[in-house]
Structures are given as structure tokens and as C-alpha cells.
Amino acid sequence: MSRYLTPSKIALLCLASIYTEGVVPNSSAIHVLSFLVACLSPLDGSNPNPPSGNWEKQSSVSTTDLEEALSTQTSSIPGRSIWDLFLRKIWSINSCDALEAFFSDVPGMLVKTREEQIRDRDNGLAPDSSCIRLSRCSPLGAFVRRAQLEFTRLQFYDSVKLWKGFVKYRLPTYRAWARRNPQEEQATVDINLLELGLDTRSHLAQVVYGNIEDDLEDEQYLSTKDIERLLEFQIGEMQKLGGRVPDGMKMKLEQIIVSGATLPNLVHYLRFLDAWRAGDYPSSFNNLHRYFDYTMHRRDRAYQYALLNLAILQADFGCYSEAVSAMQEAVSIARELYDLNCLNFCMSWLYHFGKAFPEHMKDVQNTGMLGNEKEGLAFLKAKAKDTEMWSLLSTTLLSEARLELQNGDSLASTIENIVRASHINITRNLANLMGPLLLLQGVLYSRIGMI
């Protein structure tokens, strides 16, 4: 398994190459660029209005997804759609040598560096304006640079394996390409076999490619980057919804493990969340330790997050004293490292934990870590606003309004905090905080007699 390159990324690179050739009109440019960026961006399940395609929730894009996205887009060449140009591009890579040549020409898609521009100017060469060049700092430019770099790092065996995967990836599009280009002779697998007068059932083809045309198994070629992208999306969904790992995701992970691929460290965190939701304390504890043991040598500031997760896990399983102790240590380390995001979350957790279990907070209250309730809420409100942690700010405003109701303070101040929290929830799209807000509003109306 390669670290980054897959057959689908080669296809996206071909699409980017078509765009730089200047054959994509302005009417189709936005659609093509949006498709490319969406395929290369991290998976995001928080979009309330996702596009109609199903490739946004997949780890890689298939030829069917490409056909659906490109077949309706016209090109600057009369009678040809962008899908037709894309087919011609991927089938022009007709051998492993052609794949090497394609990647050697990839840097030509980028804007020249300052040194190259100075060298061309000294040699009297005019800037080439016949094609579009991508900025090196743009998302597409970064993708092109990364793809070219990763290909140069591949060993010969890995590059041949990538070529075989690309052959199988584009094979379903052969009939469509041959129908649109009947004058061009092209082998379904390798042009060298055609030049030698051999078909895919010859001994040489069987040794090199096997029964690639008869193999109907749906094999997916995933890179380490794709697996990380998939795991990050799944972890985000589990943290947001609080569920377990779906059966489909479990099957995919098992397939990846059976294939002998190197799994990212995030798989241990995913197993930790799944065991936690299942109520399996020993497994969740072991997977949490395993994840942070693997990541500690690469992230020197991960220890406070390990303690944070450990405290939440222990509190969920009823080990309140151990949870408070771990959270206190997380607060100390977050302060030492000036990690405001972690510090704000820890302080907020301690405050709400103290409201739910005050008998376990005596040690914390004796140390004066939180101060009194008003001081703690004022600290959280100020830090949440500085770090733009809007969910924490909204929760703090609601907690402050609830405290004012309990103490019988000014109703005007209570209503002001509720309105401010409502404004943050609406402007920042914090739908999960609308429930506590409406509940507190009901308590307020009941208190003032407006039932």
C-alpha cells in the first residue's frame, strides 16, 4: 500500500491536467474545480446541505462518479464533453512507461518557481501563456506537488503495482472510450502487448497481469492517506452522534487488516470509542493507552489530551475520584503548555462535574483551581470568546443564566445571557445546544409566571 497515491488520485490528476490545458470553458470550470476540491478535501459530515452525489462520503472516487460529474459538462472542443476528454487522457497512459512520462510532465502544470522564472528571463525565454498554470500554494497545486513527490518516492515494485491498479480502475470505461474514438487502436491493458501481437490470455500477459479482465472482484486500492481520511470522518461522526462503529465500517476495517495494510494510529482511537460506547471498560482503557503510546513520540503536546480522554472515560464508568485527579493533571499540563483549547474544555468539564457530583469536588475546591462559581464562569466566558470556542461560550452563558435564576438575581441579566446564547447558536449553527436553551427558557417563563 502506498502512502498517498492510488488509481483514483491518478484519475483526478488527469482531470486537473485537462483543466490546465485550457479546454474547460468558464461555464464548466466552477463545476470541475468544485468536484476536484471536494474529492481532495477531508470528509465532512457536518454540512447540512450535502451535494447529491455519493462520492462525498467515500474514501476514493470511482469512474462512475467521474462519469456522473463530467458527462454533462461541455468542453471547448465541439462535440466533446469533459468526460470524453477525460477518457482520452486516461487511455493515453497506455503503459507503465507512459505513466512514468506522465508524472515527469506533471510539474509543468504548476507555476514556475522564482529561480526558474529568473533563469528563463536571462535566457530570453518569454512566459508561456498557452495553458493555465496552478499556483503552488493552492489546494490543486499542493495536490499536484504531493502526487509528483510521492511517485518519485515509490519503489519499482510499488510503481508497477500502482500501474496494475490503474489498469483495473479504468477498465470499465474501455467500451465508452472505444465507442468515442474508433479510429485509435488501444489494448485494454497494455499497448506493449498489442505491439507484440499478444492478447490478455497469452502467457506473458498472464504472468504480468493475471486474469485482470475476468477478475470481477471489487477490489479497492486505498492509500494510508485515504484510510486516515476515512477514520477521521468516522471518529468525527461518533463523537458528534455518540453511537458505535457501523457494521459497514467494521467490515471495511477487517478487509483492510486482512489485506496486510499498515493501519494508522487513529484505528486505536476508533476502537477506544467503540469499546467505550459498548460499555467495555478494559478494552477502551487498553485502546486509549495504545493510541497515545503510538502518538506520543510524534506529538509532544498530546499528554494533556490523553489525560482528558482518560478522565472522561473514568467518570463515565463511575471512577469519579480517578477522573477528577486525571482532569486536575490535565489542567496543570495545559496551563504549562499554554494550550487554551484543552484548558477551556477541562475547566468547563470540572465546573459541570462539580454541579453534578459536588461531593467529589472537595479537593478541587480546596486548591482554589476554579474559585467560586461566578469566577469560574467569568474565566470560561472570557477564554472561550478569546479562542472563538462558540459552543463553550454558549454553554457558559446558559450556565451563568441558570446560576442567576438559582440565586434570585436580576431577570434582565438572565434574559440577556439567554438571548446572547441564542444568538450564538443561530449564527454559529450550534443545533445541538438548542435543547438546553429551550429548557432554560421554559424554566425562566415558569419562574416569572408565563406558563
Side-chain angles (χ1 to χ4, degrees):
M1 174 185 291
S2 66
R3 293 186 301 178
Y4 186 76
L5 280 178
T6 58
S8 62
K9 284 190 172 61
I10 297 177
L12 294 177
L13 202 59
C14 291
L15 182 58
S17 175
I18 293 173
Y19 172 75
T20 58
E21 291 173 1
V23 294
V24 179
N26 294 334
S27 58
S28 303
I30 295 179
H31 180 83
V32 172
L33 292 176
S34 300
F35 179 81
L36 279 170
V37 173
C39 292
L40 300 175
S41 301
L43 297 173
D44 184 13
S46 61
N47 187 5
N49 298 313
S52 58
N54 59 356
W55 43 267
E56 290 85 358
K57 297 293 186 291
Q58 297 178 0
S59 56
S60 61
V61 60
S62 65
T63 53
T64 305
D65 300 327
L66 285 163
E67 183 178 5
E68 292 177 357
L70 304 178
S71 58
T72 58
Q73 303 298 318
T74 59
S75 68
S76 300
I77 301 177
R80 296 286 179 174
S81 65
I82 298 179
W83 169 247
D84 297 330
L85 301 181
F86 172 77
L87 289 178
R88 187 166 187 173
K89 188 69 176 181
I90 62 174
W91 283 99
S92 65
I93 306 175
N94 50 24
S95 65
C96 190
D97 292 335
L99 183 64
E100 295 270 356
F102 172 73
F103 273 96
S104 64
D105 296 336
V106 160
M109 299 165 56
L110 301 172
V111 174
K112 293 184 178 181
T113 61
R114 184 173 180 272
E115 291 76 11
E116 292 174 342
Q117 293 177 3
I118 293 176
R119 191 184 309 115
D120 291 345
R121 185 183 60 189
D122 294 340
N123 295 332
L125 299 177
D128 186 12
S129 59
S130 60
C131 61
I132 301 173
R133 292 186 181 270
L134 303 174
S135 172
R136 293 177 175 269
C137 300
S138 65
L140 280 183
F143 163 66
V144 171
R145 293 170 60 193
R146 175 76 183 274
Q148 200 272 338
L149 176 63
E150 292 294 339
F151 187 80
T152 57
R153 289 178 174 178
L154 288 179
Q155 301 292 331
F156 177 74
Y157 170 79
D158 294 326
S159 62
V160 171
K161 187 177 180 180
L162 179 64
W163 161 247
K164 292 179 181 178
F166 181 67
V167 168
K168 188 173 181 180
Y169 175 82
R170 70 177 183 182
L171 195 58
T173 64
Y174 176 74
R175 293 183 181 275
W177 176 84
R179 185 172 60 253
R180 297 293 291 172
N181 301 272
Q183 72 282 2
E184 298 186 20
E185 190 176 15
Q186 170 68 49
T188 57
V189 177
D190 195 329
I191 191 63
N192 295 309
L193 297 177
L194 184 64
E195 293 176 353
L196 294 174
L198 302 176
D199 57 10
T200 56
R201 300 188 182 277
S202 63
H203 293 293
L204 179 60
Q206 290 292 319
V207 170
V208 177
Y209 294 103
N211 296 323
I212 193 169
E213 290 184 332
D214 299 332
D215 189 6
L216 300 179
E217 182 183 359
D218 186 16
E219 182 180 358
Q220 290 189 349
Y221 295 85
L222 298 177
S223 64
T224 305
K225 182 69 175 178
D226 292 330
I227 298 176
E228 289 180 354
R229 188 168 174 247
L230 192 63
L231 291 176
E232 288 174 358
F233 170 76
Q234 187 60 51
I235 289 173
E237 290 294 295
M238 291 180 65
Q239 290 177 334
K240 181 177 67 174
L241 303 176
R244 296 189 60 188
V245 180
D247 294 336
M249 184 65 182
K250 288 182 179 179
M251 293 178 59
K252 184 175 288 291
L253 286 176
E254 291 176 359
Q255 292 174 359
I256 295 172
I257 294 173
V258 170
S259 65
T262 302
L263 292 176
N265 298 329
L266 280 175
V267 72
H268 301 299
Y269 194 78
L270 184 67
R271 289 170 177 169
F272 152 70
L273 291 176
D274 186 56
W276 177 20
R277 304 303 182 192
D280 187 356
Y281 178 77
S283 297
S284 59
F285 189 80
N286 291 335
N287 283 306
L288 179 64
H289 274 269
R290 185 172 299 176
Y291 169 70
F292 282 102
D293 284 343
Y294 277 112
T295 57
M296 197 64 67
H297 68 282
R298 293 192 306 169
R299 296 176 57 192
D300 55 346
R301 296 191 175 186
Y303 187 53
Q304 67 272 24
Y305 292 100
L307 293 169
L308 175 61
N309 282 272
L310 179 61
I312 296 174
L313 176 66
Q314 289 174 334
D316 196 48
F317 284 99
C319 304
Y320 300 124
S321 300
E322 292 82 354
V324 172
S325 177
M327 191 62 75
Q328 284 182 281
E329 189 175 355
V331 169
S332 301
I333 296 176
R335 282 177 173 172
E336 182 180 350
L337 297 177
Y338 299 98
D339 191 345
L340 294 181
N341 291 332
C342 182
L343 179 61
N344 292 342
F345 191 91
C346 293
M347 299 294 285
S348 176
W349 187 90
L350 283 173
Y351 172 79
H352 290 91
F353 183 82
K355 299 292 289 184
F357 305 98
E359 65 275 8
H360 296 283
M361 292 291 292
K362 294 180 180 179
D363 294 337
V364 178
Q365 292 173 355
N366 293 334
T367 59
M369 179 180 292
L370 291 176
N372 56 37
E373 289 192 36
K374 288 188 177 181
E375 291 176 353
L377 290 175
F379 171 81
L380 289 175
K381 187 166 60 174
K383 295 301 181 181
K385 189 174 182 180
D386 293 340
T387 56
E388 296 184 354
M389 298 177 66
W390 305 115
S391 59
L392 177 60
L393 180 58
S394 176
T395 304
T396 305
L397 289 171
L398 292 179
S399 299
E400 189 174 4
R402 189 178 295 108
L403 180 62
E404 290 172 346
L405 281 177
Q406 292 175 355
N407 296 336
D409 293 339
S410 171
L411 285 177
S413 177
T414 303
I415 295 174
E416 179 185 357
N417 287 327
I418 293 177
V419 171
R420 290 175 62 187
S422 177
H423 174 73
I424 293 173
N425 293 346
I426 294 173
T427 56
R428 302 297 173 179
N429 194 24
L430 303 177
N432 57 335
L433 294 179
M434 292 303 295
L437 174 67
L438 295 175
L439 182 62
L440 186 58
Q441 280 184 343
V443 174
L444 174 64
Y445 294 149
S446 176
R447 179 68 59 86
I448 62 179
M450 298 177 60
I451 301 177

